[in-house]
Structure formats: structure tokens, C-alpha cells
């Protein structure tokens, strides 16, 4: 009899081909047009019920959306690179989200798995010893690179879809596979939550590869993510001749500089770890002109939602004060955000039990202290838990060529099969879990 391991192993060559294709045609947040059409086509071929685009993304809840001109240009680029025209209208305008549903017809909980699809806004290394370059699948799109393994996540999601269909006769309840756009910059999950995609979910699992976890280890319930808010700030002043009549100007650059210095005094909070960073500061047009414009790109973070919210409120006051000091106007645009969220202990314990029984891992741990980043799957986790469900975030350790968000990033592709087998096992054995609502 064919085992689950045999089934997953048979998919390994196709997994590598798919991952490398997605890596080569990397697409950043909200413009995953080619990726989304290929995902939709495969899920349709497998017989899943699909909800696409505007059905799974609330337009008004999107953050950090590119301009209409950029979206249109990227759609044309995607078509030229093999996006499937029959699916593209569903995603047009920056709605590259997909939810695939498998209703087994047998009673049981609604179980959801979330994977992300977007690349980062950076260029990939062209060094000859960089494996994607050496083997010809490095990104062909300037300023877009899969440097955080989302190409692997998408591949895992699609392979899981195929495996679950093959084993559908042993499943119960309902399976939902969520393919999320725009995780980088924590921009996409909130809009999917606002569209209600997890409102019926009882058991939720998001995944990631790598993140510094060693090969052979699984983290069943990562809880190290910081809540965060990403914001762009524009200061608008009045230009003037810097030599002839500077007093007639209102200096936007000085307002932005004052705000930058003041913001970096903020990260102190009795509630725990807090962060503020001004990552970009652009201002002015010429050395002899009082600057009438400035742009700041800022983020706040906190160990929990309350700490981040407090730091963000303080940041707003600092920015307003700096603008008032120099008599300039300012505007704040939210560009992204994520919550802190603690995985559900009972679901983490079940994942731990199932992972240990598989015998695929050298180490199975519940949580692990890691670098303090952020992840917007926490919006989905929080929503599921608010409605009485269970949620967790699972990390599959693997060897990396370089750290995440590095131009030389690459991961050991063998981890994808391990991830698929683990997630499929959760789905096949969920009836053993007694904590579902």
C-alpha cells in the first residue's frame, strides 16, 4: 500500500521545478499576478472550490498598495512572462489572493493552512557561486527577489493541495488553503481577514521555512513576532531662495530631521520590548532652495499589541510636534501592520505530538527565542482565536545560503517535502485533536 511518505516523495521533482520557476519570476507584494494565475490554475485542475481576488481581499483594508500605473505595468509584465490570461481578471488591480476549499462531505472542523506568495523589493546576487545564478533560476525581474522563501511556501501549499486530494478519502471536515499576497511589509493579511476568510476556521496553521532554525528542527508554535505599524510621513512646507529670502520658506527637511531624532528617543516602555526606526529620509530639491518637501519611512514595533500601539501614538505626537515647530503640514499614510499573537497551547501540543511521531525531525520544540521580526499571519491567528478557534505558526528549520532578506539567500529545497508531509499529517489526523470548537 502506498504510504503518505511515498506520495510526498513522488512529488519532489515537481516541487523543485515549481519552486525554481516561481523564484525565477519573482513578484513583489500586490503584483503577484503570474504567481496567482498559476496557483489558481493548479488548484482548479485539482478540483478545489476557489474564491479569488475581491472575494477574499477587502479593497479598503489593503496597505502599501502600488500606484495604479505600477499595477497596470506589472500586469503587462506578468502576461509577457507567462501569466494565464483566463485568470488574470480576478487579480487585476492588486487583488492577488486565493482561498481554495476542499469540503470532504464528512463532519469535522474547518482547518486552514496559510502560505504567502510575494517576493522582496531587492535585487538578487549575480555571483557565480550563488546557486540560483549558477543553475539559471535567479530572479529575472529587477528589484524583485525571493529572499525569504515564499517561493518555497507557495510550492508547499500547492503540493499539499495535491497530496490532500489524493488522500481525500481519509479526510474529514473542510480544508482551506489560503494563498496570501503582500506579506513583506506586513500588508496583505489584514485585508484577507477583513474579507472574512478565516471567520469559519477552527484550526489554523501558518508556516515559514528557515528563520535561523537549524535543519532538522521544527518549531511548533513560534511566538516571537513583534506587533508593528509601518507608516510613511510626508512633510509639506514652502520653498524659498536660501540666500535671497529664506525667511519666506517653511523648511520641511528640518521638520523631518527633528522628527527623526525625536522618534529615536522613544523606545522605552514598562510593558516590554519596543522599537522605532526611521529607515528612509528624503528631502529637498537643491542646495540653494529651502526644502518644501520631505518623506520619512518609519516603523514602530512592540512585544505586544498594547506596547506597539502606545509607541505608535507617541510617534504620531512627535511627528505632529516637529511639523508645528517648523510651520509645515504633515500627512501619515499607513503602509503595513501586524499584531502580536500567542499560539494556542492545545494546538501547539497536538502539532508537537504529530511531528514527533513522524520521526522526520532531530528536534521538536514548542517555542524558540528568535530575532524579533514581525509577521502578518498574526492577524489571521488573532481572528481565529477571537472566534473560539485554535491557531499556531510553525517553522521548519533548514540550511540557508545566507540570511533572510539577503541578496544571496537560498534554502535547502529538501525541507519542502518534510513540510508537506507534516502538514498533510495534521489534516489526516485532526480527528484525534480534542480541542476544536
Amino acid at each position: 500500500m502506498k504510504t503518505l511518505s511515498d506520495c510526498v516523495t513522488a512529488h519532489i521533482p515537481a516541487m523543485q521545478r515549481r519552486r525554481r520557476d516561481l523564484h525565477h519570476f519573482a513578484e513583489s507584494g500586490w503584483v503577484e499576478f503570474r504567481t496567482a494565475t498559476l496557483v489558481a490554475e493548479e488548484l482548479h485542475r485539482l478540483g478545489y472550490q476557489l474564491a479569488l481576488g475581491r472575494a477574499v481581499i477587502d479593497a479598503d483594508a489593503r496597505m502599501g498598495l502600488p500606484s495604479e500605473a505600477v499595477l497596470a505595468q506589472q500586469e503587462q509584465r506578468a502576461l509577457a512572462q507567462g501569466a494565464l490570461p483566463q485568470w488574470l481578471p480576478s487579480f487585476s488591480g492588486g487583488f492577488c489572493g486565493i482561498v481554495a476549499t476542499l469540503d470532504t462531505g464528512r463532519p469535522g472542523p474547518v482547518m486552514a493552512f496559510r502560505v504567502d506568495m510575494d517576493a522582496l523589493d531587492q535585487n538578487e546576487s549575480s555571483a557565480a557561486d550563488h546557486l540560483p545564478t549558477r543553475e539559471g533560476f535567479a530572479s529575472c525581474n529587477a528589484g524583485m527577489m525571493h529572499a525569504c522563501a515564499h517561493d518555497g511556501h507557495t510550492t508547499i501549499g500547492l503540493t499539499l493541495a495535491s497530496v490532500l486530494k489524493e488522500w481525500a478519502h481519509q479526510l474529514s471536515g473542510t480544508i482551506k488553503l489560503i494563498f496570501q499576497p503582500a506579506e513583506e511589509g506586513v500588508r496583505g493579511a489584514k485585508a484577507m481577514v477583513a474579507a472574512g476568510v478565516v471567520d469559519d476556521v477552527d484550526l489554523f496553521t501558518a508556516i515559514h521555512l528557515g528563520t535561523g532554525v537549524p535543519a532538522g528542527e521544527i518549531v511548533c508554535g513560534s511566538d516571537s513576532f513583534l506587533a508593528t505599524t509601518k507608516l510613511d510621513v510626508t512633510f509639506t512646507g514652502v520653498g524659498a531662495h536660501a540666500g535671497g529670502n529664506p525667511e519666506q520658506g517653511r523648511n520641511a527637511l528640518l521638520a523631518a530631521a527633528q522628527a527623526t531624532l525625536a522618534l529615536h528617543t522613544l523606545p522605552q516602555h514598562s510593558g516590554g520590548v519596543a522599537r522605532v526606526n526611521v529607515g528612509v529620509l528624503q528631502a529637498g530639491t537643491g542646495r540653494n532652495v529651502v526644502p518644501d518637501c520631505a518623506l520619512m519611512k518609519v516603523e514602530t514595533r512592540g512585544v505586544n499589541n498594547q506596547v506597539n500601539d502606545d509607541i505608535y501614538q507617541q510617534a504620531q505626537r512627535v511627528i505632529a510636534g516637529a511639523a508645528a515647530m517648523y510651520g509645515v503640514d504633515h500627512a501619515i499614510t499607513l503602509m503595513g501592520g501586524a499584531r502580536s499573537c500567542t499560539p494556542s497551547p492545545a494546538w501547539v501540543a497536538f502539532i508537537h505530538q504529530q511531528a514527533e511521531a513522524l520521526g522526520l525531525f532531530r528536534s521538536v520544540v514548542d517555542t524558540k527565542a528568535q530575532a524579533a521580526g514581525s509577521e502578518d499571519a498574526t492577524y489571521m491567528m488573532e481572528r481565529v482565536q477571537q472566534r473560539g478557534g485554535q491557531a499556531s505558526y510553525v517553522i521548519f528549520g533548514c540550511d540557508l545560503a545566507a540570511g533572510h532578506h539577503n541578496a544571496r539567500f537560498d534554502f535547502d529545497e529538501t525541507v519542502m517535502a518534510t513540510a508537506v508531509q507534516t502538514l498533510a499529517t495534521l489534516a489526516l489526523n485532526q480527528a484525534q485533536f480534542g480541542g476544536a470548537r
Side-chain angles (χ1 to χ4, degrees):
M1 178 181 291
K2 189 176 183 182
T3 67
L4 178 62
S5 179
D6 294 335
C7 178
V8 174
T9 298
H11 284 275
I12 288 176
M15 290 177 73
Q16 183 184 83
R17 289 193 299 271
R18 177 174 285 132
R19 180 260 163 165
R20 293 186 176 197
D21 175 77
L22 294 174
H23 190 95
H24 184 56
F25 295 102
E27 299 176 300
S28 55
W30 297 125
V31 299
E32 306 94 334
F33 297 115
R34 180 184 184 274
T35 302
T37 66
L38 297 180
V39 169
E41 176 67 17
E42 176 65 6
L43 293 168
H44 174 71
R45 185 189 70 80
L46 290 169
Y48 280 78
Q49 176 186 339
L50 299 184
L52 310 174
R54 289 166 177 80
V56 297
I57 293 175
D58 184 300
D60 296 333
R62 293 176 299 172
M63 295 181 286
L65 191 70
S67 68
E68 290 185 9
V70 169
L71 289 169
Q73 183 271 328
Q74 289 299 312
E75 285 188 44
Q76 293 305 307
R77 185 268 315 150
L79 278 170
Q81 293 180 346
L84 302 176
Q86 66 270 33
W87 294 106
L88 190 56
S90 297
F91 309 118
S92 182
F95 290 89
C96 299
I98 302 164
V99 177
T101 301
L102 173 61
D103 185 348
T104 69
R106 290 178 284 275
V110 177
M111 173 182 279
F113 298 97
R114 175 273 207 174
V115 295
D116 39 21
M117 301 187 291
D118 58 320
L120 282 143
D121 295 328
Q122 69 179 77
N123 290 314
E124 184 160 8
S125 172
S126 59
D129 62 345
H130 178 53
L131 188 142
T133 298
R134 186 171 71 245
E135 300 202 4
F137 66 95
S139 176
C140 65
N141 291 327
M144 298 182 185
M145 178 200 171
H146 275 295
C148 202
H150 295 190
D151 49 345
H153 302 167
T154 303
T155 300
I156 288 166
L158 286 175
T159 309
L160 178 63
S162 183
V163 170
L164 292 180
K165 284 293 289 187
E166 293 178 56
W167 287 74
H169 61 288
Q170 293 193 28
L171 295 170
S172 59
T174 300
I175 306 293
K176 296 180 78 170
L177 303 175
I178 301 169
F179 292 81
Q180 182 202 313
E183 189 285 321
E184 299 296 353
V186 288
R187 296 174 287 164
K190 185 178 182 180
M192 296 193 85
V193 170
V197 302
V198 295
D199 283 357
D200 62 344
V201 172
D202 300 299
L203 303 170
F204 175 87
T205 305
I207 68 161
H208 211 296
L209 303 179
T211 74
V213 176
E217 182 167 290
I218 181 175
V219 180
C220 302
S222 180
D223 63 353
S224 62
F225 298 119
L226 300 180
T228 186
T229 305
K230 317 293 187 186
L231 54 147
D232 284 359
V233 185
T234 56
F235 294 91
T236 304
V238 177
H241 194 295
N245 47 10
E247 73 284 356
Q248 295 179 13
R250 296 289 183 270
N251 198 314
L253 184 154
L254 290 179
Q258 183 69 41
T260 297
L261 293 174
L263 285 169
H264 278 272
T265 69
L266 288 182
Q268 303 177 53
H269 200 289
S270 63
V273 172
R275 302 276 193 271
V276 173
N277 189 58
V278 179
V280 174
L281 178 57
Q282 300 167 338
T285 57
R287 72 177 71 249
N288 60 347
V289 180
V290 174
D292 65 348
C293 58
L295 169 67
M296 295 169 52
K297 296 188 177 184
V298 187
E299 68 171 17
T300 65
R301 299 188 198 240
V303 69
N304 56 45
N305 298 329
Q306 187 61 58
V307 170
N308 180 64
D309 291 346
D310 288 350
I311 296 297
Y312 175 56
Q313 294 299 322
Q314 291 182 54
Q316 288 181 294
R317 290 193 291 271
V318 164
I319 291 163
M325 184 182 300
Y326 290 94
V328 305
D329 296 325
H330 78 285
I332 295 175
T333 303
L334 289 177
M335 300 300 290
R339 310 295 281 169
S340 63
C341 192
T342 302
S344 305
W347 186 230
V348 172
F350 182 76
I351 295 169
H352 186 123
Q353 174 202 37
Q354 295 296 311
E356 209 161 53
L358 279 173
L360 297 174
F361 302 99
R362 289 196 295 269
S363 175
V364 179
V365 300
D366 287 349
T367 62
K368 185 166 188 167
Q370 294 173 266
S374 301
E375 227 294 359
D376 69 351
T378 51
Y379 274 115
M380 296 184 182
M381 294 172 64
E382 182 181 61
R383 181 68 166 177
V384 169
Q385 291 171 337
Q386 286 172 347
R387 298 178 69 84
Q390 303 270 326
S392 191
Y393 194 101
V394 177
I395 298 175
F396 296 94
C398 62
D399 291 328
L400 304 176
H404 291 261
H405 298 206
N406 186 296
R408 296 175 64 90
F409 177 87
D410 191 31
F411 66 90
D412 180 356
E413 293 167 328
T414 61
V415 72
M416 294 189 293
T418 302
V420 171
Q421 186 168 345
T422 304
L423 299 178
T425 298
L426 296 180
L428 287 163
N429 295 342
Q430 54 83 11
Q432 301 172 19
F433 177 66
R437 62 184 177 194

